RNA sequence: GCCGAAGUGGUGGAAUUGGUAGACACGCUGGACUCAAAAUCCAGUGCUAGCAAUAGUGUGCGGGUUCGAGUCCCGCCUUCGGUACCA
């Protein structure tokens, strides 16, 4: 008679597994719908209450679509390769595969507990050889293709080779990093190694030496999106630039398509903006400057060719290739010293001293292509090697950085844009009239840009060019726990793809997971493995974390296929992901790589759609209530002083007083002081219980004006993780209140997109709702559902709820759905409604939210089949219609009276009646009536002249 | 600096195209039931004044458009997220 979830939920949990209720077929007449969650990294901490937020939302949507008659694919799996498991292995010796499997088991239990409708027969695990076989296969496709800019698609490298054999590379238009032109005969005369090197400059997966993000503490390189503020995203260790031979993905080849196709997606503007920003397209010109006394030309990129008459000097990145060549004898020493100084500085150094200007003169001069004047060539840290050409023409009048540089080193400044007509405008606004600029004088900036572009092209000194901030993605990791590259090198160092029929190339067994010497992966120690092919050595680096996650959504379509990553039939049926739910932390990493891989597979004809994720919803994070440190600073005696505040900025406490901030204890010394050594020690040992998503503290090391080192901490709300002792375990909530209650409460907390702190103080309201809902079906004697015909009022309550809930599910507003259910039950309770014709459809409506209680009641209502196979109730407008409607009559918006009007009238008819009402005069009180506005269902407004 | 999102009671949050701001819930106050408590039920609850009907006021701040603005426009402030010598 009373609601007892602990009796209901285990029963149905078991039943759903036994009846394979959620198994999805690829062969059906039904329309498809694909709902995907971002699969989790199975960390040692298990699920916390923040995790399921998105999963519950997508589960509700899946169940809703299923009730509407769609064949819904709603799978789950694990992003199982990654750094934390390997860090754990280094410390404990436990093989990552073992700890990962344990974690997965735990995750699975927790997921099952919450009642998700995943089709577990399609589970994927990126660390499983049967899965990463296909990750390796896709890599080999990337290796075996180049990007043809004429056809605007990926094309087999064999076709490129045949072009080289016939005519060399002069006419090839491809995304490449090839820096010289060769003829057919030159190609034919190259040896195998030389040919391999050339092809690497075209392949979509290629190897090159370049400056990479090296993280000493993790012993590996990282991709750009894995570095935040000069620290590694995972672990928060310092990152430095280092020149290394690495595999990369030529994602830049797809920059234009990645940018343009964003327009076809139903993603939030914020997310699209982040992607656009990351791609960073800018239009401009490449211009070649002659260098005095040298044949080489200096190539620069500029978005402001109009200001070329204001170019008074040139700046090269210190790492620029021409530096050695052009530096004059008397500047040699100074330049060498400067280049040394720059390379000794870490990324963090550079970032914390952005304002400081450094540079050195090379002694060389370039010739201005329009004025013929000699202008000095400098080196400067502020010019980056890997953006544009690594060289600029400096226009100190219209570029802030150039101006600061020019002032510091006393270089000439020529004003070229007259902005007096635009007070407050900056160079960024691209407005003003040109001056001191020869034939451009008096021309508006925007016209001057296009005029100058034409001039540059007609003079043959350069051409229009588009540049991107997007860089090729670093694809090598010097780690064990990742996909091995199916690549071997022969004795000459020529790369060879492993036969795809020999895939997967599985990881060697290891016992010691410490990085090998010389910055190499631990895999390098498995010598038998490395030398398993006679005369060849296998690549010892492994693939990065994003490799397996860049295509997993395709594997779900046909998860156990061993002939292909998924069958053509399965892909043609499922097409793409209709709804993708996940966190913003993947805005530029995972989502960019997945889109790129999908487009590549599209080019090769393996997938029918140009984009993988049609609609994307970002869920916010559930944060912990916690404390944060403010103005932390190390004293000379190495103790840390500062204020600890709670989440609301109150309860100031001195560090050292009894702190409820548990994790601070982890770096207290025996005297209870926080020392820098202890902090750093703690920070570097954190791998033990370190949650992937949990930064301990977001801190920045800064030097103050006296040169003493301190750090500031600017985290207010923190993500949950085990290492912070603030995990709210969903199982405990489920045990106490039931899964239905947990699901509905997480939805009730607020909009999905918003981050919010977890607290359980409102959970009783949801629990009360479920008990109240249950009590509609029972009285003190037991089951009490009547088959009498409902009243119009009862129908109205039901259909108002159907309308509201259905609309709100579509726009992903689940908190208002829960409110609508609460209101509905309150009203039915008031009407003492126990009619089957009302309760039965209401129960189906509620089923996506609370699958257990509704299943039980559905069965008690006499249904044999599951509520999850029922038909979604349809909104019927006729029940909403009432004979008369009460309208407030307002004068200039102020309510004066109520009138009854037939609801069958149109607003126009209501308006006519209102105009002729006898007492309109009374409302208007002698003033002139201008018009009557009828807001249907809301009000009749008489507008009068005041 | 640049890009993006947001700012509503004691709290979480509603208000979908400009139309009676504060739905739904938490909390709080009072009451019923009870020896008592829990649970449940009923009533009240933006703020100010008033016994009350009621009046005034009210969506970060300052202006504006409109019969009518949380919503639209202009100028600020604050918070959060992203990004940064990107030429």
């Amino acid at each position: 008679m009373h609601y007892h979830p602990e009796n209901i939920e285990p029963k149905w949990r078991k039943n759903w597994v036994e009846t394979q209720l959620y198994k999805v077929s690829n062969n059906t007449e039904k329309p498809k719908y694909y709902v995907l969650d971002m699969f989790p990294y199975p960390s040692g901490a298990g699920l916390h209450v923040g995790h399921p937020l998105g999963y519950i939302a997508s589960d509700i949507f899946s169940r809703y679509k299923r009730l509407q008659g769609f064949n819904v694919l709603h799978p789950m799996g694990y992003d199982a390769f990654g750094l934390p498991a390997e860090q754990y292995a280094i410390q404990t010796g436990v093989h990552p595969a073992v700890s990962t499997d344990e974690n997965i088991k735990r995750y699975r239990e927790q997921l099952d507990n919450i009642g998700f409708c995943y089709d577990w027969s399609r589970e994927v695990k990126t660390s499983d050889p049967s899965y990463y076989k296909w990750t390796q296969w896709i890599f080999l496709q990337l290796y075996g293709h180049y990007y043809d800019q004429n056809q605007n698609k990926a094309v087999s490298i064999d076709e490129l080779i045949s072009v080289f054999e016939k005519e060399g590379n002069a006419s090839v238009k491809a995304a490449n990093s090839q820096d010289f032109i060769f003829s057919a005969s030159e190609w034919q005369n190259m040896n195998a190694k030389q040919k391999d090197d050339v092809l690497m400059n075209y392949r979509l997966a290629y190897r090159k030496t370049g400056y990479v993000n090296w993280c000493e503490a993790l012993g590996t390189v990282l991709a750009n999106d894995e570095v935040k503020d000069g620290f590694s995203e995972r672990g928060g260790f310092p990152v430095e630039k280092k020149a290394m031979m690495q595999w990369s993905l030529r994602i830049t080849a797809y920059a234009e398509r990645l940018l343009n196709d964003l327009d076809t997606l139903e993603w939030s503007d914020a997310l699209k903006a982040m992607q656009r920003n990351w791609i960073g397209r800018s239009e401009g010109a490449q211009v070649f400057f002659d260098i005095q006394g040298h044949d080489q030309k200096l190539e620069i990129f500029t978005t402001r060719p109009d200001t070329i008459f204001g170019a008074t000097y040139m700046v090269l990145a210190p790492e620029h290739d021409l530096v050695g060549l052009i530096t004059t004898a008397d500047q040699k020493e100074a330049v060498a010293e400067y280049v040394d100084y720059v390379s000794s500085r870490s990324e963090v150094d550079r970032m914390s001293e952005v304002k400081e200007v450094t540079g050195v003169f090379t002694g060389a001069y370039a010739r201005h292509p329009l004025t013929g004047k000699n202008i000095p060539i400098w080196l400067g840290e502020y010019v980056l090697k890997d953006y544009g050409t690594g060289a600029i023409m400096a226009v100190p009048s219209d570029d802030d950085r150039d101006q600061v540089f020019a002032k510091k080193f006393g270089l000439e400044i020529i004003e070229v844009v007259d902005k007096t007509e635009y007070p407050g405008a900056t160079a960024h606004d691209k407005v003003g009239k040109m001056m001191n600029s020869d034939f451009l004088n008096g021309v508006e900036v925007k016209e001057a840009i296009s005029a100058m572009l034409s001039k540059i092209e007609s003079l043959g000194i350069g051409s229009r060019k588009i540049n991107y901030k997007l860089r090729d993605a670093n694809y090598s990791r010097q780690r064990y726990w990742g996909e091995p590259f199916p690549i071997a090198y022969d004795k000459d160092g020529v790369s060879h793809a492993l036969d795809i029929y020999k895939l997967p190339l599985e990881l060697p067994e290891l016992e010691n997971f410490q990085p090998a010497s010389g910055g190499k992966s631990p895999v390098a120690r498995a010598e038998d493995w490395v030398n398993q092919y006679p005369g060849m050595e296998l690549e010892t680096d492994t693939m990065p974390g994003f490799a397996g996650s860049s295509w997993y959504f395709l594997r779900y379509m046909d998860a156990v296929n061993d002939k292909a990553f998924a069958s053509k039939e399965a892909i043609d049926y499922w097409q793409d992901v209709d709804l993708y739910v996940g966190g913003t932390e993947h805005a530029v990493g995972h989502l960019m790589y997945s889109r790129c891989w999908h487009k590549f597979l599209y080019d090769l004809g393996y997938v029918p759609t140009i984009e993988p994720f049609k609609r994307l919803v970002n869920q916010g994070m559930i944060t912990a209530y916690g404390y944060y440190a403010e103005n932390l600073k190390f004293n000379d005696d190495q103790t840390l002083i500062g204020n600890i505040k709670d989440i609301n900025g109150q309860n100031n406490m001195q560090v050292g007083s009894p702190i409820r901030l548990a994790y601070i204890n982890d770096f207290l010394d025996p005297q209870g002081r926080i020392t820098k050594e202890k902090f750093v020690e703690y920070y570097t040992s954190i791998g033990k219980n370190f949650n992937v998503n949990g930064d301990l503290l977001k801190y920045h090391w800064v030097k103050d004006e006296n040169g003493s080192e301190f750090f500031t901490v600017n985290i207010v709300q923190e993500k949950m993780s085990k290492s912070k002792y603030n995990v709210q375990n969903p199982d405990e909530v489920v045990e106490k209140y039931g899964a239905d209650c947990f699901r509905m409460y997480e939805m009730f907390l607020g909009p999905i997109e918003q981050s919010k702190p977890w607290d359980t103080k409102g959970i009783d309201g949801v629990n009360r709702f479920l008990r109240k809902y249950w009590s509609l079906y029972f009285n003190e004697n037991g089951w009490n559902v009547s088959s009498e015909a409902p009243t119009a009022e009862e129908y109205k309550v039901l259909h108002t709820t159907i309308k509201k809930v259905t609309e709100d599910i579509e726009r992903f507003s689940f908190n208002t759905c829960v409110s609508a259910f609460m209101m509905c039950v309150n009203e039915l309770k008031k009407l003492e409604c126990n009619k089957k014709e009302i309760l039965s459809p209401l129960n189906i409506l509620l089923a996506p939210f609370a699958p257990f209680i509704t299943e039980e009641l559905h069965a008690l209502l006499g249904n044999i089949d599951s509520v999850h196979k029922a038909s979604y109730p349809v909104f019927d407008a006729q029940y909403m219609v009432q004979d008369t409607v009460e309208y407030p009559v307002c004068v200039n918006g102020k309510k004066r009276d109520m009138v009854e009007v037939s609801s069958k009238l149109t607003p126009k008819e209501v308006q006519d009646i209102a105009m002729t009402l006898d007492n309109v005069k009374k409302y208007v009180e002698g003033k002139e009536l201008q018009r009557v506005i009828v807001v249907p269902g809301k009000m009749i407004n008489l507008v009068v002249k005041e």
Side-chain angles (χ1 to χ4, degrees), chain A residues 3 127 431 533 563 571 691 722 843 845:
Chain A
Y3 170 55
S127 62
V431 290
Y533 295 97
K563 303 280 184 296
I571 299 170
N691 183 297
K722 193 179 177 182
N843 195 53
L845 196 68

Side-chain angles (χ1 to χ4, degrees), chain A residues 171-353:
Chain A
S171 66
V172 173
K173 219 175 148 233
N176 70 84
S177 38
Q178 174 66 18
D179 52 8
F180 62 91
I181 304 287
F182 53 81
S183 65
S185 61
E186 282 170 318
W187 169 259
Q188 283 151 15
N189 289 333
M190 288 183 200
N191 65 29
K193 174 64 178 150
Q194 287 167 325
K195 283 181 177 172
D196 190 43
D197 288 347
V198 167
L199 289 174
M200 280 296 181
N201 288 328
Y202 290 88
R203 296 180 191 276
L204 285 169
Y206 64 101
R207 221 159 81 106
K208 66 157 186 196
T209 304
Y211 285 89
V212 296
N213 305 304
W214 172 257
C215 179
E216 183 65 38
L218 291 172
T220 187
V221 301
L222 299 168
N224 287 337
D225 60 277
E226 292 170 315
V227 182
K228 293 258 143 66
D229 302 329
F231 291 90
S232 68
E233 193 183 23
R234 292 190 175 178
F237 302 110
V239 172
E240 56 191 300
K241 287 278 178 199
K242 195 173 169 182
M244 288 176 78
M245 174 68 96
Q246 298 284 300
W247 283 95
S248 289
L249 292 189
R250 206 178 298 282
I251 188 172
T252 48
Y254 283 87
E256 192 71 26
R257 284 163 67 183
L258 288 168
L259 186 68
N260 292 339
D261 294 344
L262 279 175
D263 295 337
T264 68
L265 299 174
E266 263 182 84
W267 293 13
S268 71
D269 291 340
L271 194 61
K272 285 188 191 179
M274 269 189 233
Q275 292 231 333
R276 287 198 186 100
N277 246 315
W278 191 260
I279 295 168
R281 181 184 197 271
S282 57
E283 284 181 24
Q286 60 176 163
V287 186
F288 293 92
F289 282 64
D290 292 332
I291 305 168
Q292 295 297 338
H294 294 278
D295 292 339
Q296 272 89 351
K297 290 180 191 278
L298 182 53
E299 182 188 354
I300 60 105
F301 174 75
T302 179
T303 55
R304 294 295 302 273
D306 55 313
T307 62
I308 195 162
F309 288 99
T312 52
Y313 63 100
M314 315 289 289
V315 188
L316 308 188
E319 304 90 352
H320 197 281
D321 294 338
L322 291 177
V323 172
L325 183 73
I326 62 171
T327 303
T328 56
D330 51 335
Q331 286 295 328
K332 216 164 193 105
E333 203 174 321
V335 166
E337 203 174 286
Y338 182 66
V339 170
D340 258 10
Y341 158 76
V342 171
S343 66
S344 74
R345 276 151 61 80
S346 70
E347 280 294 283
V348 181
D349 285 342
R350 289 182 67 161
M351 285 185 182
S352 58
E353 291 165 33

Side-chain angles (χ1 to χ4, degrees), chain A residues 632-641 674-677 679 701 708-711:
Chain A
L632 289 186
K633 187 170 177 171
F634 284 107
N635 271 348
D636 294 341
D637 64 350
Q638 291 293 293
T639 54
L640 185 68
I641 55 165
I674 297 173
T675 65
K676 185 179 169 187
E677 281 75 31
F679 181 81
W701 293 99
S708 68
E709 204 177 9
F710 70 102
F711 69 94

Side-chain angles (χ1 to χ4, degrees), chain A residues 555-834:
Chain A
R555 184 63 176 171
Y556 285 134
M557 296 176 180
D558 191 14
V560 292
N561 195 328
D562 61 358
K563 303 280 184 296
F565 67 86
S567 74
K568 189 162 172 13
E569 295 74 42
I571 299 170
D572 282 345
Y573 176 67
W574 292 111
Q575 299 265 323
D576 53 9
V577 176
D578 294 279
L579 174 68
Y580 196 19
V581 181
T584 6
E585 63 269 27
H586 300 111
V588 285
H590 162 63
L591 288 174
M592 196 71 85
Y593 298 124
S594 297
R595 294 179 63 218
C596 180
W597 285 39
H598 195 86
K599 286 176 188 304
F600 172 68
L601 291 172
Y602 171 82
D603 286 352
L604 270 54
Y606 289 109
V607 298
T609 52
I610 57 168
E611 283 286 338
F613 315 121
K614 263 201 278 241
R615 180 180 178 192
L616 187 138
V617 174
N618 280 122
Q619 100 263 11
M621 274 174 316
I622 301 249
T623 51
Y625 265 118
Y627 299 86
Y628 68 101
E630 196 181 74
N631 303 324
L632 289 186
K633 187 170 177 171
F634 284 107
N635 271 348
D636 294 341
D637 64 350
Q638 291 293 293
T639 54
L640 185 68
I641 55 165
N643 300 312
I644 302 290
K645 294 184 170 184
D646 76 4
I647 204 88
N648 301 314
Q650 293 159 355
N651 294 351
N652 290 15
M653 288 179 291
Q654 283 296 312
V655 174
S657 65
I659 302 171
R660 283 181 287 159
L661 191 69
Y663 51 90
I664 284 279
N665 289 330
D666 287 321
F667 44 89
L668 291 179
D669 70 6
Q671 286 79 45
R673 294 175 313 176
I674 297 173
T675 65
K676 185 179 169 187
E677 281 75 31
K678 203 73 184 165
F679 181 81
V680 172
E681 182 193 319
Y682 175 75
Y683 218 82
T684 44
S685 71
I686 208 160
K688 195 170 61 176
N689 275 330
F690 192 47
N691 183 297
V692 250
N693 291 321
D695 289 328
L696 174 80
L697 292 168
K698 205 180 196 176
Y699 70 97
H700 306 275
W701 293 99
V702 192
K703 274 181 190 156
D704 68 11
E705 60 281 4
N706 305 322
S708 68
E709 204 177 9
F710 70 102
F711 69 94
T712 58
V713 182
N714 61 353
I715 194 158
V716 175
Q717 292 186 356
E718 45 191 316
K719 300 177 202 175
M720 290 185 183
S721 80
K722 193 179 177 182
S723 58
K724 282 176 285 178
Y725 305 100
N726 60 7
V727 172
Q728 299 286 331
N729 191 324
D731 306 73
E732 287 164 23
V733 182
V734 171
E735 199 191 336
K736 193 167 172 199
Y737 295 96
D740 287 336
C741 187
F742 175 68
R743 291 166 62 104
M744 291 197 82
Y745 182 59
E746 286 235 354
M747 292 301 99
F748 185 64
L749 230 39
I752 296 291
E753 303 82 3
Q754 242 171 59
S755 287
K756 52 222 150 210
W758 170 258
D759 71 277
T760 50
K761 69 183 181 193
I763 199 163
D764 285 329
V766 174
N767 191 33
R768 239 168 254 160
F769 157 77
L770 286 168
R771 291 208 298 260
K772 223 186 272 182
Y773 177 67
W774 181 263
S775 75
L776 286 172
Y777 294 76
F778 295 88
N779 64 11
E780 58 277 12
N781 300 317
W783 184 251
N784 179 39
V785 172
S786 143
S787 48
E788 277 174 67
T791 64
E793 206 179 359
E794 289 166 341
Y795 272 125
K796 194 185 169 191
V797 171
L798 173 67
H799 285 275
T800 310
T801 309
I802 293 174
K803 185 166 190 274
K804 172 82 178 148
V805 169
T806 309
E807 285 170 0
D808 286 355
I809 292 177
E810 286 290 347
R811 65 189 182 101
F812 242 73
S813 172
F814 297 113
N815 55 331
T816 53
C817 288
V818 178
S819 293
F821 281 120
M822 287 177 170
M823 189 144 60
C824 176
V825 167
N826 286 346
E827 282 175 35
L828 291 180
K829 201 80 191 163
K830 225 173 270 171
L831 296 170
E832 294 181 11
C833 172
N834 64 341

Side-chain angles (χ1 to χ4, degrees), chain A residues 66-244:
Chain A
R66 190 165 300 183
L67 289 170
Q68 284 191 328
F70 288 88
N71 187 35
V72 179
L73 177 55
H74 187 218
M76 183 45 90
Y78 305 97
D79 186 14
F81 273 136
L83 286 174
E86 186 159 345
Q87 293 290 81
Y88 184 72
I90 289 171
Q91 292 188 349
T92 63
V94 176
H95 195 285
V98 173
S99 60
T100 301
D101 280 348
E102 268 173 27
N103 294 345
I104 285 177
K105 207 171 143 234
R106 173 96 185 98
Y107 267 60
R108 177 63 189 276
E109 278 169 17
Q110 289 184 299
L111 290 169
D112 283 346
N113 224 354
I114 302 166
F116 294 124
C117 63
Y118 296 124
D119 177 359
W120 286 106
S121 70
R122 293 168 186 262
E123 177 185 324
V124 305
K125 188 171 92 177
T126 54
S127 62
D128 194 306
S130 70
Y131 179 90
Y132 70 68
K133 168 181 176 172
W134 298 108
T135 310
Q136 292 171 329
W137 178 83
I138 295 172
F139 170 81
L140 286 181
Q141 302 307 309
L142 288 162
Y143 172 77
H145 285 76
Y146 76 105
Y147 198 86
D148 184 314
Q149 289 171 328
N150 285 323
Q151 299 178 58
N152 216 1
K153 63 182 275 199
V155 174
S156 168
I157 201 89
D158 296 335
E159 288 189 28
L160 187 67
I161 292 170
S162 67
V163 172
F164 287 171
E165 279 168 354
K166 284 191 210 100
E167 49 189 87
N169 71 343
S171 66
V172 173
K173 219 175 148 233
N176 70 84
S177 38
Q178 174 66 18
D179 52 8
F180 62 91
I181 304 287
F182 53 81
S183 65
S185 61
E186 282 170 318
W187 169 259
Q188 283 151 15
N189 289 333
M190 288 183 200
N191 65 29
K193 174 64 178 150
Q194 287 167 325
K195 283 181 177 172
D196 190 43
D197 288 347
V198 167
L199 289 174
M200 280 296 181
N201 288 328
Y202 290 88
R203 296 180 191 276
L204 285 169
Y206 64 101
R207 221 159 81 106
K208 66 157 186 196
T209 304
Y211 285 89
V212 296
N213 305 304
W214 172 257
C215 179
E216 183 65 38
L218 291 172
T220 187
V221 301
L222 299 168
N224 287 337
D225 60 277
E226 292 170 315
V227 182
K228 293 258 143 66
D229 302 329
F231 291 90
S232 68
E233 193 183 23
R234 292 190 175 178
F237 302 110
V239 172
E240 56 191 300
K241 287 278 178 199
K242 195 173 169 182
M244 288 176 78

